Every structure is written in C-alpha cells, then in structure tokens.
Amino acid sequence: MRIKFFKPYLTGNELKYIQELLTNERDVGGDGYYTQKVHEFLEKKYHVKKALLTTSCSTSLELAVRILNLPKGSEIIVPSFTFSSTVNAILLPDSLKVVFCEIEKDTLNIDPKDIERKITEKTKALMIVHYAGVSCDMDKIMRLAKKHNLKVIEDAAQGIEAKFKDKYLGTIGDLGCVSFHETKNITSGEGGALFINRDDKELMERAEIFREKGTNRSKFFRGEIDKYSWVDLGSSVLPSDILAAFLLAQLESANMITKERLKIYNFYKNSLAKYENQGLVKLPTIPKYAKHNAHIFYILFKSLEQRSAALSFLKENGIGATFHYVPLHNAPEGKKLGYKDGDFPLTEKVSNCLLRLPIYAGMSVREQKYVISKTKELLDQLTKQKGGTYA
Ligand SMILES: *Cc1c(COP(=O)(O)O)cnc(C)c1O
C-alpha cells in the first residue's frame, strides 16, 4: 500500500463553481463575485469583522505586519518553532526586530512565561502560532498584550475551524492569518486570508490599499469616491476569482472535512495510547480550552535516532510520514540574528523527535488501519529495546 502524507479533499463543487464563473462570463480577476462570497462566508461563519482573501498565509502575515505601522526598531516576539513565513513577514520591511521565544511542552505553542521574560520597552507586538490547529492559551497571551500595550498577530495558518474556548482561531488577536495551501485542511492550492478583528477603520483601509497595489480602488468600487489613485505603497496580494470559486466549495464542506479528520485523529490516538502510557512516546495533548481541527497527528520519540529509524521504517512500508519544523533560531538566517545552537533546548529537541503521520479527509478505513498496524509494529520493536522512554 502507498499512502501519501496529505491529499486535498475534493468536495465535488469546485469545478461546478468554476464552470459557473466561466459560463456566466464573470470577471476572473481579484475581488470578483466568488471572492465576495468567500469574504461573506468567512465573516459570517467565523465571526470575523473583516476578512480579506490573499494569495497565501505568508502574504497575509506580511500584510498584517505592514498595516500595524510599527515604529522603526520595534521588537516582535515569535516562537522559533514555526515556518519561515512567520519571521520573514517581520524582517521584510527591514525596520523591525525578531525576538525568538521557547515553546511549551504539551502544545508546542509559544510559552507565555518566556514571552514575559523577553518583553522590553521596544516590544510592540506578539506573533503567535497555533501549532497543529491547537490553540495557544489566548487568555494568558491577551492579558500580557494588554498589560504591555502590545499588538497581537495570530499565525493561524493551520487553525481554520479550530477554537480557543468559543472563539475561532485567527479572530482573537488584533489580526489573524490563515492558509489555504494544499497541505492545509481547507485549500485552494495556494491561498490565504487576513482577518481584521478590531473596529479600526484606518487599519482596514490600510489593508485594502496595500492589497490593491497602493490604490484606493476598493473604495472606488464601493462608490465612496469617484476615481481611484495611488495613495500609499502596496502590492498585489489578491487571488484570482477562479481560486475563490474553488475555495468557496471547500469552505462550504469545512464542517465535514474537520469531522472526518477528527475521526482519523481519534482512531490514531486511541490505538496508540498504550505506548504513551508505557512512557515510550508522547502523543499530542489538547488543553481543555482548545477545540482543535486535527490538522496534525504527531508522535514524539525519545531521540533523533529513534525518529529517523521510524521515518525510514514507515517509508519502506509506503507510508508518507514526515518530520516538521527545523527551528529558525539556529538556521543560517537565525544565526545571522545572533542566535546559536542550544538557545531553545525544547524547540531543538521537539524538532529532532517529532514525526507526523498521514492524515486527510477521504483516507479510507483500510488505509488508516494499515498506518496504525505499521506504527504499532514499529513501537512494539522499540518497546523491546532498552532505555526506550520519552523523557
Ligand atoms: C503553512 C504555514 C504558513 C505558510 O502558509 P502559506 O499559505 O503557504 O503561505 C505560515 N505559517 C504556518 C504556521 C504554517 O503552517
């Protein structure tokens, strides 16, 4: 059997909507009929004040940082255990500083205690990541932000459909960013969105202007002005309406896709629980405040050697398991910022020891059982070896 690590789930309406767009000769550029539909869908379903489709979560993050207009030299605190996009967004304007932070062992999310230690007079924002679609402790984070007057950007790239208490991820901080990349739960191949969560007209306007090449074209289309012009710096970060049509079909099936993923996740978790109970490996922990979306199912092994052996074993058996983030602080770019190996021991350990199993809506029960049986075979072998406990 061959099992890919991820596979987009096609709902059946993707082609129907694209066909409709073309048959009715609708405009295929950005901000067309389907983009409006997607904006309305996101705003209604996830209670977003203002949603703006973009070409990726990376561009959403860049947009978020730009529109905050932070003073030169401001520091933004981020976890090192994340994707390069989170940090690129801070450094691209060439006026802001990245301050890395350690993660917590249970959720692998940014550690609020370490955030507190890293806050200085120059700190102006927190950029947090909801790893695996499992929420950060937003009560603690928003309390810190309030106390120190900091903006909060949520990198909720993996967080669509997931919640902190009764709020959707990406809608709690000042700004939230989600991804519709092919590896994420809901996809248009490439794509993302920016969520603006404050009733701040200027912030919303700055976002629209940057997204529309530095012009006030959005205002013009709403009939608020009679011609549009170049009013600020900007770029083109809006997707074609063809992609929005595809994405609408996906979003309309979001409940079903999440339910399917959660079923597989729970099947994995229940089937492998005994190995965690034996102390052989660690499985994901979901805090009481979080409602996750089963974006990632991971196993933490005791060592890099064990994890590497596990990856090879699964690969030999046709299972597309994979590792995850290589820490940013001791990557070549991170070292240029003055960080070094050993600065964040937990981040480094997790990066060495984490393995992700394939998970996607549409995975057959036969495939799920195959993944479980091979993983058990692997863990049974480890049980027999000496000293195989996860510390
Ligand atoms: C996937 C991902 C991104 C990048 O998303 P794109 O839509 O591919 O730009 C950023 N941050 C995190 C945490 C991600 O998982």
Short mmCIF file of all heavy atoms in Angstrom, two decimals, residues 53-115:
data_model
loop_
_atom_site.label_atom_id
_atom_site.label_comp_id
_atom_site.label_asym_id
_atom_site.label_seq_id
_atom_site.Cartn_x
_atom_site.Cartn_y
_atom_site.Cartn_z
N LEU A 53 -9.25 38.03 1.31
CA LEU A 53 -8.51 36.92 0.69
C LEU A 53 -7.17 37.42 0.17
O LEU A 53 -7.07 38.54 -0.33
CB LEU A 53 -9.30 36.35 -0.49
CG LEU A 53 -10.26 35.21 -0.24
CD1 LEU A 53 -10.74 34.63 -1.57
CD2 LEU A 53 -9.62 34.12 0.60
N THR A 54 -6.16 36.57 0.28
CA THR A 54 -4.83 36.89 -0.23
C THR A 54 -4.30 35.67 -0.99
O THR A 54 -4.99 34.65 -1.07
CB THR A 54 -3.85 37.19 0.92
OG1 THR A 54 -3.74 36.02 1.73
CG2 THR A 54 -4.31 38.36 1.77
N THR A 55 -3.09 35.80 -1.48
CA THR A 55 -2.53 34.70 -2.26
C THR A 55 -1.87 33.62 -1.39
O THR A 55 -1.56 32.55 -1.87
CB THR A 55 -1.48 35.24 -3.25
OG1 THR A 55 -0.62 36.14 -2.53
CG2 THR A 55 -2.15 36.00 -4.38
N SER A 56 -1.67 33.91 -0.11
CA SER A 56 -1.10 32.90 0.80
C SER A 56 -1.15 33.42 2.23
O SER A 56 -1.36 34.62 2.46
CB SER A 56 0.36 32.61 0.45
OG SER A 56 1.15 33.76 0.68
N CYS A 57 -0.91 32.52 3.18
CA CYS A 57 -0.81 32.97 4.57
C CYS A 57 0.45 33.83 4.71
O CYS A 57 0.46 34.80 5.48
CB CYS A 57 -0.76 31.79 5.52
SG CYS A 57 -0.73 32.27 7.24
N SER A 58 1.49 33.49 3.97
CA SER A 58 2.72 34.30 4.02
C SER A 58 2.43 35.76 3.69
O SER A 58 2.86 36.66 4.40
CB SER A 58 3.78 33.76 3.05
OG SER A 58 4.03 32.40 3.29
N THR A 59 1.69 35.99 2.60
CA THR A 59 1.39 37.39 2.24
C THR A 59 0.44 38.01 3.25
O THR A 59 0.52 39.21 3.51
CB THR A 59 0.81 37.53 0.81
OG1 THR A 59 -0.32 36.68 0.69
CG2 THR A 59 1.82 37.20 -0.24
N SER A 60 -0.45 37.22 3.85
CA SER A 60 -1.34 37.75 4.88
C SER A 60 -0.52 38.25 6.08
O SER A 60 -0.80 39.30 6.66
CB SER A 60 -2.32 36.69 5.39
OG SER A 60 -3.10 36.20 4.34
N LEU A 61 0.49 37.46 6.44
CA LEU A 61 1.35 37.85 7.57
C LEU A 61 2.12 39.13 7.24
O LEU A 61 2.25 40.03 8.08
CB LEU A 61 2.32 36.71 7.91
CG LEU A 61 1.70 35.45 8.53
CD1 LEU A 61 2.64 34.26 8.42
CD2 LEU A 61 1.31 35.69 9.99
N GLU A 62 2.61 39.22 6.01
CA GLU A 62 3.32 40.42 5.59
C GLU A 62 2.40 41.64 5.63
O GLU A 62 2.79 42.71 6.10
CB GLU A 62 3.88 40.25 4.16
CG GLU A 62 5.04 39.29 4.10
CD GLU A 62 5.38 38.90 2.66
OE1 GLU A 62 5.25 39.74 1.75
OE2 GLU A 62 5.75 37.73 2.45
N LEU A 63 1.18 41.43 5.15
CA LEU A 63 0.19 42.49 5.15
C LEU A 63 -0.10 42.93 6.60
O LEU A 63 -0.15 44.12 6.91
CB LEU A 63 -1.08 41.93 4.48
CG LEU A 63 -2.23 42.85 4.12
CD1 LEU A 63 -1.76 44.00 3.27
CD2 LEU A 63 -3.30 42.04 3.34
N ALA A 64 -0.25 41.95 7.48
CA ALA A 64 -0.56 42.23 8.88
C ALA A 64 0.53 43.11 9.51
O ALA A 64 0.25 44.12 10.14
CB ALA A 64 -0.71 40.93 9.66
N VAL A 65 1.79 42.72 9.29
CA VAL A 65 2.90 43.48 9.88
C VAL A 65 2.94 44.90 9.30
O VAL A 65 3.08 45.88 10.02
CB VAL A 65 4.24 42.75 9.66
CG1 VAL A 65 5.42 43.63 10.04
CG2 VAL A 65 4.27 41.45 10.47
N ARG A 66 2.78 45.00 7.98
CA ARG A 66 2.83 46.31 7.31
C ARG A 66 1.80 47.28 7.86
O ARG A 66 2.11 48.44 8.13
CB ARG A 66 2.52 46.16 5.82
CG ARG A 66 3.58 45.44 5.05
CD ARG A 66 4.44 46.43 4.31
NE ARG A 66 5.50 45.72 3.61
CZ ARG A 66 6.53 46.31 3.04
NH1 ARG A 66 6.66 47.61 3.08
NH2 ARG A 66 7.45 45.60 2.45
N ILE A 67 0.55 46.80 7.99
CA ILE A 67 -0.53 47.75 8.32
C ILE A 67 -0.51 48.17 9.78
O ILE A 67 -1.18 49.12 10.15
CB ILE A 67 -1.92 47.22 7.91
CG1 ILE A 67 -2.28 45.95 8.67
CG2 ILE A 67 -2.00 47.02 6.40
CD1 ILE A 67 -3.69 45.48 8.40
N LEU A 68 0.28 47.48 10.61
CA LEU A 68 0.36 47.92 12.01
C LEU A 68 1.19 49.20 12.14
O LEU A 68 1.12 49.88 13.16
CB LEU A 68 0.96 46.81 12.88
CG LEU A 68 0.02 45.66 13.24
CD1 LEU A 68 0.75 44.65 14.11
CD2 LEU A 68 -1.25 46.15 13.94
N ASN A 69 1.97 49.51 11.09
CA ASN A 69 2.79 50.75 11.11
C ASN A 69 3.61 50.90 12.38
O ASN A 69 3.56 51.94 13.05
CB ASN A 69 1.87 51.98 11.01
CG ASN A 69 1.62 52.37 9.57
OD1 ASN A 69 2.19 51.78 8.66
ND2 ASN A 69 0.75 53.34 9.38
N LEU A 70 4.35 49.86 12.74
CA LEU A 70 5.12 49.91 13.99
C LEU A 70 6.35 50.80 13.81
O LEU A 70 6.94 50.84 12.72
CB LEU A 70 5.55 48.50 14.39
CG LEU A 70 4.41 47.52 14.67
CD1 LEU A 70 4.95 46.13 14.93
CD2 LEU A 70 3.56 47.99 15.84
N PRO A 71 6.75 51.52 14.86
CA PRO A 71 7.93 52.38 14.74
C PRO A 71 9.20 51.57 14.42
O PRO A 71 9.31 50.41 14.81
CB PRO A 71 8.04 53.04 16.11
CG PRO A 71 7.02 52.43 16.98
CD PRO A 71 6.11 51.57 16.18
N LYS A 72 10.11 52.21 13.72
CA LYS A 72 11.39 51.60 13.37
C LYS A 72 12.06 51.05 14.64
O LYS A 72 12.04 51.71 15.67
CB LYS A 72 12.28 52.68 12.75
CG LYS A 72 13.18 52.19 11.65
CD LYS A 72 13.90 53.37 11.00
CE LYS A 72 15.23 52.93 10.47
NZ LYS A 72 15.35 52.39 9.20
N GLY A 73 12.63 49.87 14.54
CA GLY A 73 13.35 49.29 15.69
C GLY A 73 12.45 48.52 16.65
O GLY A 73 12.94 47.99 17.65
N SER A 74 11.15 48.46 16.36
CA SER A 74 10.23 47.71 17.25
C SER A 74 10.61 46.23 17.26
O SER A 74 11.03 45.68 16.24
CB SER A 74 8.79 47.82 16.76
OG SER A 74 8.34 49.13 16.76
N GLU A 75 10.41 45.61 18.42
CA GLU A 75 10.66 44.18 18.54
C GLU A 75 9.35 43.41 18.50
O GLU A 75 8.37 43.82 19.12
CB GLU A 75 11.39 43.89 19.86
CG GLU A 75 12.77 44.51 19.91
CD GLU A 75 13.43 44.37 21.29
OE1 GLU A 75 12.79 43.84 22.23
OE2 GLU A 75 14.59 44.81 21.41
N ILE A 76 9.34 42.28 17.76
CA ILE A 76 8.18 41.40 17.73
C ILE A 76 8.61 40.04 18.23
O ILE A 76 9.62 39.48 17.77
CB ILE A 76 7.57 41.30 16.31
CG1 ILE A 76 7.18 42.69 15.79
CG2 ILE A 76 6.37 40.36 16.30
CD1 ILE A 76 6.46 42.70 14.47
N ILE A 77 7.87 39.51 19.20
CA ILE A 77 8.23 38.22 19.80
C ILE A 77 7.52 37.09 19.05
O ILE A 77 6.31 37.15 18.83
CB ILE A 77 7.87 38.21 21.30
CG1 ILE A 77 8.68 39.30 22.02
CG2 ILE A 77 8.09 36.84 21.92
CD1 ILE A 77 8.38 39.42 23.50
N VAL A 78 8.30 36.06 18.65
CA VAL A 78 7.76 34.91 17.91
C VAL A 78 8.40 33.61 18.42
O VAL A 78 9.51 33.62 18.92
CB VAL A 78 8.10 34.96 16.39
CG1 VAL A 78 7.28 35.96 15.66
CG2 VAL A 78 9.58 35.20 16.16
N PRO A 79 7.69 32.49 18.22
CA PRO A 79 8.35 31.22 18.55
C PRO A 79 9.40 30.88 17.49
O PRO A 79 9.24 31.29 16.33
CB PRO A 79 7.20 30.21 18.51
CG PRO A 79 6.20 30.80 17.57
CD PRO A 79 6.32 32.29 17.72
N SER A 80 10.43 30.15 17.88
CA SER A 80 11.41 29.68 16.91
C SER A 80 10.86 28.45 16.19
O SER A 80 11.22 28.16 15.05
CB SER A 80 12.71 29.32 17.63
OG SER A 80 13.54 28.55 16.80
N PHE A 81 9.96 27.75 16.87
CA PHE A 81 9.36 26.53 16.30
C PHE A 81 8.19 26.92 15.40
O PHE A 81 7.03 26.88 15.79
CB PHE A 81 8.88 25.60 17.43
CG PHE A 81 8.45 24.24 16.95
CD1 PHE A 81 9.36 23.37 16.36
CD2 PHE A 81 7.13 23.82 17.09
CE1 PHE A 81 8.97 22.11 15.93
CE2 PHE A 81 6.73 22.55 16.65
CZ PHE A 81 7.65 21.70 16.06
N THR A 82 8.50 27.38 14.21
CA THR A 82 7.47 27.77 13.25
C THR A 82 8.06 27.74 11.84
O THR A 82 9.23 27.42 11.64
CB THR A 82 6.88 29.16 13.58
OG1 THR A 82 5.81 29.45 12.65
CG2 THR A 82 7.91 30.28 13.47
N PHE A 83 7.24 28.12 10.88
CA PHE A 83 7.64 28.16 9.49
C PHE A 83 8.34 29.49 9.23
O PHE A 83 8.06 30.48 9.89
CB PHE A 83 6.36 28.03 8.64
CG PHE A 83 6.61 27.71 7.21
CD1 PHE A 83 7.42 26.65 6.84
CD2 PHE A 83 5.98 28.43 6.21
CE1 PHE A 83 7.63 26.35 5.51
CE2 PHE A 83 6.18 28.14 4.88
CZ PHE A 83 7.00 27.10 4.53
N SER A 84 9.23 29.51 8.24
CA SER A 84 9.99 30.74 7.95
C SER A 84 9.09 31.94 7.66
O SER A 84 9.45 33.09 7.96
CB SER A 84 10.92 30.49 6.77
OG SER A 84 10.17 30.05 5.65
N SER A 85 7.89 31.70 7.11
CA SER A 85 6.98 32.81 6.75
C SER A 85 6.68 33.73 7.91
O SER A 85 6.55 34.95 7.73
CB SER A 85 5.65 32.26 6.25
OG SER A 85 5.84 31.42 5.17
N THR A 86 6.52 33.14 9.09
CA THR A 86 6.15 33.92 10.27
C THR A 86 7.18 35.02 10.51
O THR A 86 6.83 36.16 10.82
CB THR A 86 6.08 32.99 11.51
OG1 THR A 86 5.51 31.74 11.13
CG2 THR A 86 5.25 33.59 12.62
N VAL A 87 8.43 34.67 10.33
CA VAL A 87 9.52 35.58 10.65
C VAL A 87 9.90 36.46 9.46
O VAL A 87 10.22 37.65 9.62
CB VAL A 87 10.71 34.75 11.18
CG1 VAL A 87 11.96 35.57 11.26
CG2 VAL A 87 10.36 34.19 12.56
N ASN A 88 9.79 35.91 8.25
CA ASN A 88 10.03 36.73 7.06
C ASN A 88 9.14 37.97 7.07
O ASN A 88 9.57 39.07 6.70
CB ASN A 88 9.70 35.95 5.78
CG ASN A 88 10.80 34.96 5.41
OD1 ASN A 88 11.95 35.17 5.74
ND2 ASN A 88 10.43 33.90 4.73
N ALA A 89 7.90 37.77 7.47
CA ALA A 89 6.92 38.88 7.47
C ALA A 89 7.41 40.04 8.33
O ALA A 89 7.18 41.20 8.01
CB ALA A 89 5.57 38.39 7.96
N ILE A 90 8.14 39.71 9.40
CA ILE A 90 8.64 40.75 10.30
C ILE A 90 9.87 41.43 9.70
O ILE A 90 10.04 42.64 9.79
CB ILE A 90 9.00 40.14 11.67
CG1 ILE A 90 7.77 39.49 12.30
CG2 ILE A 90 9.61 41.19 12.61
CD1 ILE A 90 8.07 38.65 13.53
N LEU A 91 10.72 40.61 9.07
CA LEU A 91 12.01 41.15 8.62
C LEU A 91 11.97 41.80 7.23
O LEU A 91 12.82 42.63 6.93
CB LEU A 91 13.07 40.04 8.65
CG LEU A 91 13.38 39.53 10.07
CD1 LEU A 91 14.38 38.39 10.01
CD2 LEU A 91 13.90 40.64 10.97
N LEU A 92 10.99 41.45 6.41
CA LEU A 92 10.97 42.00 5.05
C LEU A 92 10.92 43.54 4.99
O LEU A 92 11.60 44.14 4.16
CB LEU A 92 9.83 41.38 4.24
CG LEU A 92 10.20 40.04 3.57
CD1 LEU A 92 8.96 39.34 3.02
CD2 LEU A 92 11.23 40.23 2.46
N PRO A 93 10.13 44.21 5.84
CA PRO A 93 10.13 45.68 5.78
C PRO A 93 11.47 46.31 6.17
O PRO A 93 11.67 47.50 5.99
CB PRO A 93 9.04 46.08 6.77
CG PRO A 93 8.23 44.87 7.02
CD PRO A 93 9.15 43.71 6.81
N ASP A 94 12.41 45.51 6.74
CA ASP A 94 13.74 45.98 7.06
C ASP A 94 13.77 47.10 8.10
O ASP A 94 14.63 47.97 8.05
CB ASP A 94 14.44 46.46 5.76
CG ASP A 94 15.94 46.31 5.86
OD1 ASP A 94 16.39 45.52 6.72
OD2 ASP A 94 16.67 46.99 5.12
N SER A 95 12.80 47.08 9.01
CA SER A 95 12.83 48.10 10.06
C SER A 95 12.48 47.52 11.42
O SER A 95 12.52 48.22 12.43
CB SER A 95 11.84 49.23 9.72
OG SER A 95 10.52 48.73 9.74
N LEU A 96 12.17 46.23 11.48
CA LEU A 96 11.71 45.62 12.73
C LEU A 96 12.66 44.50 13.16
O LEU A 96 13.43 43.99 12.37
CB LEU A 96 10.30 45.05 12.53
CG LEU A 96 9.26 46.04 11.97
CD1 LEU A 96 7.96 45.34 11.65
CD2 LEU A 96 9.03 47.18 12.97
N LYS A 97 12.53 44.14 14.45
CA LYS A 97 13.43 43.14 15.00
C LYS A 97 12.66 41.90 15.49
O LYS A 97 11.60 42.04 16.10
CB LYS A 97 14.18 43.77 16.18
CG LYS A 97 15.62 43.34 16.27
CD LYS A 97 16.34 43.91 17.48
CE LYS A 97 17.17 42.80 18.10
NZ LYS A 97 17.55 43.05 19.46
N VAL A 98 13.23 40.72 15.21
CA VAL A 98 12.63 39.46 15.66
C VAL A 98 13.23 39.08 17.01
O VAL A 98 14.45 39.14 17.18
CB VAL A 98 12.94 38.35 14.64
CG1 VAL A 98 12.77 36.97 15.26
CG2 VAL A 98 12.07 38.50 13.40
N VAL A 99 12.38 38.70 17.96
CA VAL A 99 12.87 38.16 19.22
C VAL A 99 12.27 36.77 19.38
O VAL A 99 11.04 36.62 19.46
CB VAL A 99 12.47 39.06 20.41
CG1 VAL A 99 12.88 38.42 21.74
CG2 VAL A 99 13.13 40.43 20.27
N PHE A 100 13.14 35.75 19.39
CA PHE A 100 12.63 34.37 19.46
C PHE A 100 12.27 33.97 20.88
O PHE A 100 12.78 34.52 21.86
CB PHE A 100 13.66 33.39 18.89
CG PHE A 100 13.72 33.40 17.40
CD1 PHE A 100 14.90 33.74 16.74
CD2 PHE A 100 12.61 33.05 16.65
CE1 PHE A 100 14.96 33.73 15.35
CE2 PHE A 100 12.66 33.04 15.25
CZ PHE A 100 13.84 33.38 14.61
N CYS A 101 11.41 32.96 20.95
CA CYS A 101 10.86 32.53 22.22
C CYS A 101 10.76 31.00 22.24
O CYS A 101 10.66 30.37 21.20
CB CYS A 101 9.46 33.15 22.29
SG CYS A 101 8.84 33.38 23.92
N GLU A 102 10.76 30.43 23.43
CA GLU A 102 10.66 28.98 23.61
C GLU A 102 9.19 28.55 23.58
O GLU A 102 8.29 29.39 23.71
CB GLU A 102 11.33 28.60 24.96
CG GLU A 102 11.41 27.13 25.30
CD GLU A 102 12.19 26.27 24.29
OE1 GLU A 102 11.66 26.05 23.19
OE2 GLU A 102 13.30 25.79 24.62
N ILE A 103 8.97 27.23 23.38
CA ILE A 103 7.60 26.69 23.35
C ILE A 103 7.30 25.94 24.65
O ILE A 103 8.19 25.65 25.45
CB ILE A 103 7.41 25.73 22.15
CG1 ILE A 103 8.55 24.70 22.08
CG2 ILE A 103 7.28 26.52 20.86
CD1 ILE A 103 8.36 23.61 21.05
N GLU A 104 6.01 25.58 24.81
CA GLU A 104 5.57 24.76 25.95
C GLU A 104 5.59 23.30 25.54
O GLU A 104 5.30 22.99 24.38
CB GLU A 104 4.12 25.08 26.29
CG GLU A 104 3.87 26.46 26.80
CD GLU A 104 2.40 26.62 27.21
OE1 GLU A 104 1.51 26.20 26.48
OE2 GLU A 104 2.17 27.18 28.29
N LYS A 105 5.81 22.40 26.51
CA LYS A 105 6.00 21.01 26.11
C LYS A 105 4.70 20.29 25.71
O LYS A 105 4.75 19.38 24.91
CB LYS A 105 6.77 20.23 27.18
CG LYS A 105 6.03 19.94 28.45
CD LYS A 105 6.92 19.06 29.32
CE LYS A 105 6.26 18.43 30.52
NZ LYS A 105 5.06 18.99 31.09
N ASP A 106 3.58 20.72 26.22
CA ASP A 106 2.35 19.99 25.91
C ASP A 106 1.73 20.35 24.57
O ASP A 106 1.28 19.49 23.83
CB ASP A 106 1.32 20.18 27.02
CG ASP A 106 1.61 19.25 28.20
OD1 ASP A 106 2.39 18.29 28.00
OD2 ASP A 106 1.06 19.47 29.29
N THR A 107 1.69 21.64 24.25
CA THR A 107 1.05 22.06 23.00
C THR A 107 2.06 22.39 21.90
O THR A 107 1.67 22.52 20.74
CB THR A 107 0.20 23.33 23.23
OG1 THR A 107 1.06 24.33 23.79
CG2 THR A 107 -0.97 23.05 24.16
N LEU A 108 3.31 22.56 22.27
CA LEU A 108 4.37 23.01 21.35
C LEU A 108 4.08 24.43 20.84
O LEU A 108 4.57 24.83 19.79
CB LEU A 108 4.57 22.02 20.19
CG LEU A 108 4.64 20.53 20.54
CD1 LEU A 108 4.97 19.70 19.31
CD2 LEU A 108 5.67 20.26 21.64
N ASN A 109 3.24 25.15 21.58
CA ASN A 109 2.95 26.55 21.27
C ASN A 109 3.86 27.46 22.10
O ASN A 109 4.41 27.04 23.13
CB ASN A 109 1.50 26.88 21.61
CG ASN A 109 0.54 26.34 20.57
OD1 ASN A 109 0.90 26.20 19.39
ND2 ASN A 109 -0.67 26.04 20.99
N ILE A 110 3.95 28.71 21.68
CA ILE A 110 4.79 29.71 22.36
C ILE A 110 4.48 29.73 23.87
O ILE A 110 3.33 29.62 24.27
CB ILE A 110 4.60 31.10 21.71
CG1 ILE A 110 5.66 32.08 22.16
CG2 ILE A 110 3.19 31.65 21.95
CD1 ILE A 110 5.78 33.31 21.26
N ASP A 111 5.54 29.84 24.67
CA ASP A 111 5.40 29.78 26.12
C ASP A 111 5.19 31.19 26.71
O ASP A 111 6.10 32.01 26.66
CB ASP A 111 6.69 29.16 26.69
CG ASP A 111 6.63 29.01 28.21
OD1 ASP A 111 5.65 29.47 28.83
OD2 ASP A 111 7.58 28.42 28.77
N PRO A 112 3.99 31.46 27.25
CA PRO A 112 3.72 32.81 27.77
C PRO A 112 4.73 33.26 28.84
O PRO A 112 5.04 34.44 28.94
CB PRO A 112 2.31 32.69 28.37
CG PRO A 112 1.70 31.53 27.68
CD PRO A 112 2.82 30.58 27.38
N LYS A 113 5.27 32.29 29.60
CA LYS A 113 6.25 32.66 30.63
C LYS A 113 7.52 33.20 29.98
O LYS A 113 8.14 34.14 30.45
CB LYS A 113 6.60 31.46 31.52
CG LYS A 113 5.49 31.13 32.52
CD LYS A 113 5.96 30.23 33.64
CE LYS A 113 6.28 28.80 33.23
NZ LYS A 113 5.18 27.98 32.71
N ASP A 114 7.90 32.57 28.87
CA ASP A 114 9.11 33.04 28.17
C ASP A 114 8.82 34.37 27.45
O ASP A 114 9.72 35.22 27.37
CB ASP A 114 9.62 31.99 27.18
CG ASP A 114 11.09 32.22 26.83
OD1 ASP A 114 11.83 32.70 27.72
OD2 ASP A 114 11.48 31.95 25.69
N ILE A 115 7.60 34.55 26.98
CA ILE A 115 7.24 35.84 26.36
C ILE A 115 7.50 36.94 27.37
O ILE A 115 8.15 37.95 27.08
CB ILE A 115 5.74 35.90 25.95
CG1 ILE A 115 5.43 34.92 24.81
CG2 ILE A 115 5.35 37.32 25.53
CD1 ILE A 115 3.98 34.90 24.36
#
